[in-house]
Amino acid sequence: MKIFFGLCLLVSILLSVPLLFMLIKEKGFYNRFAAILAISSNVTLFLMLIGFVDGRHDMYVDIALSFTVLGFVSSVIVAKFMSGGGDGNDRD
């Protein structure tokens, strides 16, 4: 089973290489932000697969979940900031 998870880890790393090139080559903020969000979800997958390969999946799943929550909260904050809102005075 460790071989299967190791192969899954290798394939997911190879599929993430284009995201790194997208992050470096793209000029627009939104394209780079989308690449960062995709890389963030891939890091969650990497952590979980490393946990299964290592045999301590309970610890790595906890770390992956906390990283995912942190990534979600930061993406909501950046989206709110980029939309021009956030001052709390949205009354009509």
Side-chain angles (χ1 to χ4, degrees), residues 3 9-10 17-18 26 36-37 41 50 54-55 58 65 68 82:
I3 295 172
L9 184 63
L10 182 67
V17 170
E26 291 292 327
I36 288 172
L37 292 178
S41 63
I50 287 171
D54 192 29
D58 52 350
L65 285 174
T68 303
M82 291 307 294

Side-chain angles (χ1 to χ4, degrees), residues 28-46:
F29 172 77
Y30 296 107
N31 292 334
R32 286 185 176 181
F33 187 61
I36 288 172
L37 292 178
I39 289 171
S40 173
S41 63
N42 283 343
V43 167
T44 303
L45 176 67
F46 296 157

Side-chain angles (χ1 to χ4, degrees), residues 13 42 55 72:
I13 288 172
N42 283 343
F72 174 73

Side-chain angles (χ1 to χ4, degrees), residues 3-16:
I3 295 172
F4 174 72
F5 286 127
L7 282 172
C8 288
L9 184 63
L10 182 67
V11 168
S12 62
I13 288 172
L14 290 176
L15 291 174
S16 296

Side-chain angles (χ1 to χ4, degrees), residues 56-78:
R56 297 184 294 174
H57 58 278
D58 52 350
M59 179 182 71
Y60 283 99
V61 168
D62 290 341
I63 294 170
L65 285 174
S66 60
F67 183 78
T68 303
V69 168
L70 182 67
F72 174 73
V73 169
S74 64
S75 67
V76 168
I77 290 170
V78 169

